[in-house]
Amino acid sequence: MDKIRAFLLKLPRRQKRLMQVVTDVLLVWAALWLAFVVRLGVDEMINPLRDHTWLFLCAPVVAIPLFVRFGLYRAVLRYFGNDALIEIVKAVSLSALILGVVVYWYSNHQNVVPRSIIFNYWWLSLLMIGGLRLAMRQYFLGDWFTAAQHVPFTNRDNGLPKVAIYGAGAAGNQLVAALRMGRLMRPVAFIDDDSSIADRVISGLQVYKPKHIQRMIEATGAQEILLAIPSTNRGRRREILGYLEGFPLHVRSVPGFMDLASGRVKVDDIQEVDIADLLGRDAVPAQGDLLEHCIKSQVVLVTGAGGSIGSELCRQILTLGPRTLLLFEHSEFNLYSILSELEQRIARESLPVKLLPILGSVRNQGKLLDVMKTWHVDTVYHAAAYKHVPMVEHNIAEGVLNNVIGTLNTAQAALQVGVANFVLISTDKAVRPTNVMGSTKRLAEMTLQALSQELAPVLFGDMSNVSHVNKTRFTMVRFGNVLGSSGSVIPLFHKQIQLGGPLTVTHPKITRYFMTIPEAAQLVIQAGSMGLGGDVFVLDMGEPVKIVELAEKMIHLSGLSVRSEKNPQGDIAIEFTGLRPGEKLYEELLIGDNVEATQHPMIMTASEDYLSWDVLKAKLVELLAAVEQDDYAKVRQLLRDTVSGYTPDGDIVDWIYQQRRLEP
């Protein structure tokens, strides 16, 4: 059978059509002959081929041209669907009607044909022509019984992984069709919350209630569950995932309709469960006026455009109608990656946006100034920073130069050119920091706070003592960890699970705030449109998440169990490695208690202390001198004196500092 199927599939299209036409002629004759049999019976039936030869010649002459006109021979049988069935109904009905007219006219002159013959011919033709095509579709898909798994004696194990589909709606049925066509997995059951369809059969699969999942596993041998509930909110998805944790099943998901419509994924692109679903927090709809305020028809510059947050900012900015989007990035590979992605999107969607990739470092103020002057930048989103806590702790000089001096250079260039809006991407680690990364990000915030209070500041490093009129509105947006960013724990856990464990967690009590990258970027854009200058905006990150619980959930949803003292036979262990240099158990979003609501329910504004610009400049001079001398003890002391709440934990672990201490 497989050889015949392969042979038929390889035939030229012309030969396939000829075979279909010949088959349809035979089916038309068979339907007409059976119409006489149904009307007259077998015993008393006259010979229709002898007495009504004209009718058997006329039937295919009428039918086949109509079949051609309605596209019956253009349809690919492997992908035969409802639209093709409708066309068959139209073609067969019209051919039967025309044949009826012919019979009515011709019977007035020759042998009488019973009028019920035409009705019998119509429904028999529908049954035979449509039924054969449906049967051939199943044949070419390679399994006669894929849609009959509830029928006794038809089930057979083809060695494919058995999966249950959670959600018997449109997405679930599309997924079943895609899986059967792709033949990589075997759908064996539906699970659905709708009690009205429980215990029924849809697409040949039994529908089970969620409370009967164990019974479903025993009956079908399902090994995985695929979530086909793209329209369900995150709160409900979290409830479902929490319930599924109790079963030995690998849980995965299918993409949403917007991803399908945009062409980014296909319906059979199965993915691991989105960790955002475990947080259970739905994103608040964006406010269009806030999104477009600093972007539409303007020239926008994004520093760190190739990073996790920077690249997502670029994606969202692109859809908001900027005149020009400048991608400023020091990593050639990252810049190339985001440029290629955005260029493809511009071409696909015909977006009227000028896209310019610029290689450069925020530590080069001259380059920043040239870029902003040349393209008359209106808005800057400053996302360039070193964010990995232990890495910066071991490389203090780079952290200071990139996070503090880089922000200073970008802000001063914006002020000199007269950029209207400047938005700094900050972090919750800037609040009472215990590490160099957090303290440098807080110092970057303080730099913008100080500049925003000056009407005509003399810039840092300007020996000419010339003041510049400040026309720039500086704002800062502070938030916690984003899911899937570089350095995030989530990709690390996925990789460790694939390798069989163990999952490494620094401390059993460590907690973190989490937010998805698209949501964070969207809120950053909206927050940047608010405020008068010097504002520190804080994003509502929801409830903090215990990392060890997140690790356990990821193990369970992979269909595995946690190995522990209570369960020594478990699949994957969780190991505690101890806090890394500069790492905190708990992160905070506010330094003080002075927080106010804004027009957006997910964005708050905080009143934070700051230094005057003249005082801060003097501190920056000392800090830069200490960095140039590799005097990291003094760097730490200056940060402690300048940044409120900075309490470094442990000894200095900078590589240069440690190596020099070892030298005789």
Side-chain angles (χ1 to χ4, degrees):
M1 295 294 287
D2 290 339
K3 290 182 179 180
I4 297 174
R5 185 187 305 115
F7 171 76
L8 292 173
L9 291 174
K10 289 180 180 179
L11 286 176
R13 183 65 182 158
R14 183 174 297 178
Q15 292 186 27
K16 292 178 181 178
R17 286 180 175 175
L18 180 60
M19 291 177 65
Q20 285 182 280
V21 170
V22 172
T23 303
D24 283 343
V25 170
L26 295 176
L27 290 176
V28 166
W29 283 343
L32 191 57
W33 184 78
L34 286 174
F36 278 97
V37 172
V38 171
R39 172 63 179 82
L40 302 174
V42 178
D43 297 333
E44 301 180 5
M45 186 190 70
I46 62 174
N47 188 341
L49 293 175
R50 181 191 63 204
D51 301 326
H52 302 286
T53 305
W54 63 272
L55 188 57
F56 279 82
L57 293 176
C58 188
V61 172
V62 171
I64 299 302
L66 288 172
F67 291 176
V68 173
R69 177 66 182 83
F70 280 88
L72 268 63
Y73 305 117
R74 291 195 300 270
V76 179
L77 291 181
R78 279 174 291 171
Y79 309 113
F80 193 79
N82 293 336
D83 292 341
L85 282 175
I86 292 172
E87 295 304 311
I88 288 177
V89 172
K90 291 178 181 178
V92 170
S93 299
L94 187 57
S95 67
L97 182 62
I98 294 174
L99 190 64
V101 173
V102 172
V103 167
Y104 176 77
W105 178 81
Y106 195 75
S107 296
N108 289 333
H109 305 86
Q110 302 291 335
N111 296 332
V112 176
V113 176
R115 294 179 181 179
S116 61
I117 293 295
I118 299 303
F119 175 74
N120 291 338
Y121 166 74
W122 171 74
W123 68 263
L124 285 167
S125 295
L126 281 178
L127 184 64
M128 298 172 71
I129 293 172
L132 178 64
R133 281 166 168 75
L134 288 175
M136 293 307 294
R137 180 183 69 177
Q138 293 302 114
Y139 173 70
F140 285 124
L141 285 175
D143 191 348
W144 287 98
F145 303 113
T146 53
Q149 295 178 10
H150 63 291
V151 178
F153 310 113
T154 60
N155 290 336
R156 59 194 182 95
D157 190 356
N158 51 14
L160 299 177
K162 297 176 182 178
V163 298
I165 313 298
Y166 199 114
N173 280 273
Q174 290 177 27
L175 179 60
V176 167
L179 293 177
R180 285 171 172 168
M181 193 171 297
R183 297 183 60 77
L184 296 176
M185 298 179 180
R186 181 186 174 197
V188 294
F190 275 120
I191 304 166
D192 201 279
D193 300 324
D194 187 354
S195 58
S196 65
I197 60 174
D199 298 324
R200 296 192 179 185
V201 173
I202 297 178
S203 296
L205 302 179
Q206 178 87 23
V207 182
Y208 292 85
K209 293 181 181 179
K211 65 181 181 180
H212 295 150
I213 288 180
Q214 187 59 48
R215 190 177 77 188
M216 180 274 296
I217 296 173
E218 295 170 356
T220 64
Q223 302 158 301
E224 293 190 26
I225 287 184
L226 304 182
L227 298 181
I229 46 176
S231 60
T232 305
N233 62 50
R234 285 224 166 98
R236 176 57 186 151
R237 290 174 75 93
R238 182 177 63 173
E239 292 177 10
I240 293 171
L241 291 172
Y243 180 70
L244 295 178
E245 274 190 72
F247 301 97
L249 296 167
H250 185 183
V251 182
R252 292 197 282 175
S253 183
V254 294
F257 287 120
M258 293 307 296
D259 291 328
L260 298 174
S262 66
R264 290 194 293 268
V265 292
K266 301 188 293 295
V267 72
D268 56 344
D269 282 344
I270 309 300
Q271 56 198 20
E272 296 299 327
V273 169
D274 190 349
I275 301 301
D277 293 334
L278 297 178
L279 305 182
R281 186 166 54 85
D282 290 306
V284 174
Q287 298 181 17
D289 57 333
L290 292 179
L291 283 175
E292 295 181 349
H293 180 71
C294 298
I295 295 174
K296 191 173 181 62
S297 302
Q298 299 187 38
V299 179
V300 181
L301 169 67
V302 179
T303 68
S308 304
I309 292 294
S311 59
E312 182 60 31
L313 279 171
C314 292
R315 294 184 191 101
Q316 298 200 23
I317 289 169
L318 200 65
T319 65
L320 298 173
R323 185 167 73 253
T324 304
L325 177 57
L326 305 173
L327 313 177
F328 194 91
E329 172 63 54
H330 81 284
S331 167
E332 182 184 30
F333 176 76
N334 288 352
L335 182 60
Y336 172 77
S337 298
I338 187 61
L339 175 66
S340 301
E341 178 187 334
L342 297 182
E343 283 180 335
Q344 292 175 15
R345 185 172 180 182
I346 288 174
R348 184 172 63 248
E349 301 178 16
S350 301
L351 298 175
V353 180
K354 186 176 182 181
L355 195 65
L356 296 171
I358 300 172
L359 272 174
S361 170
V362 292
R363 287 158 63 172
N364 186 343
Q365 185 173 352
K367 180 67 176 283
L368 287 165
L369 189 60
D370 286 343
V371 169
M372 294 186 197
K373 273 185 178 178
T374 303
W375 280 282
H376 308 289
V377 172
D378 299 298
T379 301
V380 173
Y381 292 97
H382 181 53
Y386 289 142
K387 307 179 183 72
H388 194 276
V389 170
M391 193 71 72
V392 175
E393 208 68 19
H394 289 298
N395 298 272
I396 293 176
E398 294 302 309
V400 172
L401 293 173
N402 204 63
N403 294 356
V404 180
I405 305 304
T407 300
L408 176 66
N409 290 341
T410 312
Q412 291 195 150
L415 191 148
Q416 286 177 270
V417 175
V419 170
N421 309 292
F422 187 104
V423 184
L424 169 68
I425 314 304
S426 191
T427 171
D428 58 353
K429 294 174 178 60
V431 178
R432 280 182 278 275
T434 59
N435 50 68
V436 175
M437 193 281 279
S439 63
T440 55
K441 290 297 288 183
R442 175 58 188 143
L443 193 51
E445 290 181 358
M446 294 172 67
T447 300
L448 298 193
Q449 287 178 294
L451 279 174
S452 67
Q453 303 303 316
E454 298 292 324
L455 296 177
V458 176
L459 300 183
F460 178 83
D462 189 350
M463 305 304 295
S464 62
N465 207 34
V466 175
S467 61
H468 296 266
V469 176
N470 188 356
K471 299 179 181 179
T472 304
R473 183 174 60 90
F474 293 102
T475 55
M476 295 133 275
V477 185
R478 187 188 290 164
F479 55 92
N481 298 274
V482 287
L483 297 171
S485 66
S486 58
S488 171
V489 72
I490 307 302
L492 175 62
F493 283 170
H494 274 306
K495 185 176 181 180
Q496 290 175 337
I497 289 173
Q498 291 173 357
L499 296 175
L503 267 61
T504 54
V505 178
T506 55
H507 194 281
K509 292 184 179 180
I510 193 168
T511 64
R512 289 293 181 265
Y513 290 99
F514 284 103
M515 179 178 283
T516 65
I517 295 178
E519 183 182 6
Q522 192 178 77
L523 289 173
V524 163
I525 293 173
Q526 294 176 89
S529 300
M530 299 189 289
L532 301 175
D535 306 85
V536 178
F537 291 105
V538 180
L539 304 188
D540 182 355
M541 301 292 294
E543 295 298 321
V545 178
K546 291 188 71 172
I547 301 300
V548 66
E549 292 180 359
L550 191 62
E552 291 172 352
K553 288 179 181 293
M554 292 182 65
I555 292 173
H556 290 150
L557 294 174
S558 298
L560 304 170
S561 59
V562 178
R563 188 189 312 146
S564 62
E565 293 181 0
K566 295 181 180 179
N567 182 25
Q569 304 303 317
D571 300 301
I572 294 182
I574 296 177
E575 292 184 358
F576 298 103
T577 58
L579 292 175
R580 297 172 297 179
E583 195 169 37
K584 296 169 66 175
L585 276 180
Y586 312 101
E587 297 292 359
E588 303 168 271
L589 289 167
L590 297 169
I591 296 175
D593 298 324
N594 301 320
V595 61
E596 298 178 4
T598 67
Q599 64 192 87
H600 195 291
M602 295 284 288
I603 303 173
M604 302 170 288
T605 181
S607 299
E608 308 283 28
D609 294 332
Y610 61 91
L611 300 176
S612 68
W613 177 236
D614 289 336
V615 173
L616 185 64
K617 278 199 301 181
K619 295 286 187 180
L620 292 176
V621 169
E622 290 185 71
L623 182 64
L624 193 56
V627 168
E628 290 175 351
Q629 296 167 11
D630 293 329
D631 188 349
Y632 298 117
K634 187 174 182 180
V635 168
R636 171 180 277 196
Q637 187 58 48
L638 286 168
L639 289 174
R640 292 184 68 172
D641 294 342
T642 309
V643 177
S644 175
Y646 174 44
T647 53
D649 185 19
D651 297 330
I652 298 174
V653 295
D654 182 272
W655 297 125
I656 294 177
Y657 179 85
Q658 287 185 323
Q659 182 62 29
R660 287 185 175 174
R661 290 186 63 185
L662 294 174
E663 293 176 356

